[in-house]
Amino acid sequence: VRRDSLGTIDRITIVTPDRPGTLSLLAGTLAAHNANVFGGVAHTRDDGTAIDVMHVGDALGRGIDERRWQRILAAIPQALSGEFDVDERLAATRATYHAVPRVQTATTVQVDNNDSEHYSIVEVHASDRLGLLYALTRTMHELALDIHLAKVDTIGAEVVDAFYVLRENGQRIERPDEIERIQSRIEQAVAAVDVGAD
């Protein structure tokens, strides 16, 4: 785990052996510390190494001090090894801090099998909110979707995230009923973020 300061935002780079749920655990750990992901890329090399590069800032709008950075950098390896309960800590964070009001954007979930030869691309547009990336990636993990590449981008109050995925059997998501089920589960997960924040 490495952190580089880029002025008003910071870059976190994580290199680790890939395992199911790595991106989800990283996103949840950041959210539990009120760190917003503004953009980033996560991918897995052919040798099974996961490399996640995230640009993050303070969800509270006042900057992340060195003490909080120390807690974040210590918690990431703990989360990856199962020693940091992301759900419990994120719930505590939501209970302590009130969400910043935001512009509401309709949630859309598209599954594209045309723009990549090997993967299905799950693209999500939604309003930015604390824990959204965690909710998205955890849901894909629960759906047994393997994320090979993620492109995360926050544009103002809107999130545009694209996930290049395969099913556990190495196949793309192509059956209409399966596409519809995945879209529905992800939309439900996005809606549940706000419920959990109350």
Side-chain angles (χ1 to χ4, degrees):
V1 180
R2 189 177 77 194
R3 169 203 164 207
D4 299 296
S5 179
L6 304 176
T8 57
I9 63 171
D10 291 81
R11 179 176 59 219
I12 294 182
T13 304
I14 296 95
V15 180
T16 184
D18 189 34
R19 69 200 83 168
T22 296
L23 178 57
S24 177
L25 290 169
L26 170 60
T29 303
L30 291 171
H33 289 88
N34 269 309
N36 258 355
V37 176
F38 295 123
V41 177
H43 72 279
T44 303
R45 294 191 320 209
D46 291 340
D47 67 359
T49 300
I51 302 174
D52 298 351
V53 181
M54 297 291 147
H55 294 93
V56 303
D58 185 17
L60 303 175
R62 58 181 182 235
I64 302 174
D65 62 22
E66 286 302 318
R67 289 182 61 209
R68 188 160 23 135
W69 271 121
Q70 289 175 8
R71 292 195 300 271
I72 292 170
L73 297 177
I76 290 171
Q78 292 173 352
L80 295 176
S81 64
E83 300 168 12
F84 181 90
D85 190 326
V86 172
D87 288 320
E88 181 180 305
R89 295 295 294 272
L90 185 53
T93 298
R94 285 188 173 127
T96 305
Y97 299 100
H98 298 289
V100 177
R102 63 180 182 279
V103 177
Q104 288 291 336
T105 301
T107 299
T108 61
V109 181
Q110 300 295 324
V111 177
D112 174 15
N113 284 301
N114 297 318
D115 288 345
S116 173
E117 185 178 347
H118 302 291
Y119 302 106
S120 293
I121 304 172
V122 179
E123 187 169 295
V124 182
H125 294 245
S127 296
D128 188 24
R129 62 203 84 177
L130 183 68
L132 178 63
L133 182 59
Y134 175 56
L136 296 175
T137 52
R138 184 182 63 182
T139 300
M140 289 183 205
H141 177 62
E142 291 169 352
L143 289 166
L145 297 177
D146 189 8
I147 300 171
H148 289 261
L149 173 67
K151 297 179 180 179
V152 179
D153 202 7
T154 302
I155 305 165
E158 184 178 2
V159 168
V160 181
D161 294 346
F163 304 92
Y164 291 65
V165 304
L166 292 175
R167 294 184 299 178
E168 282 185 327
N169 62 4
Q171 300 297 309
R172 300 201 304 175
I173 308 158
E174 296 184 306
R175 290 199 334 261
D177 62 323
E178 188 177 19
I179 290 172
E180 188 175 314
R181 180 173 62 92
I182 288 168
Q183 289 172 319
S184 176
R185 283 284 302 277
I186 291 174
E187 288 168 359
Q188 290 169 13
V190 172
V193 172
D194 285 335
V195 172
D198 290 340

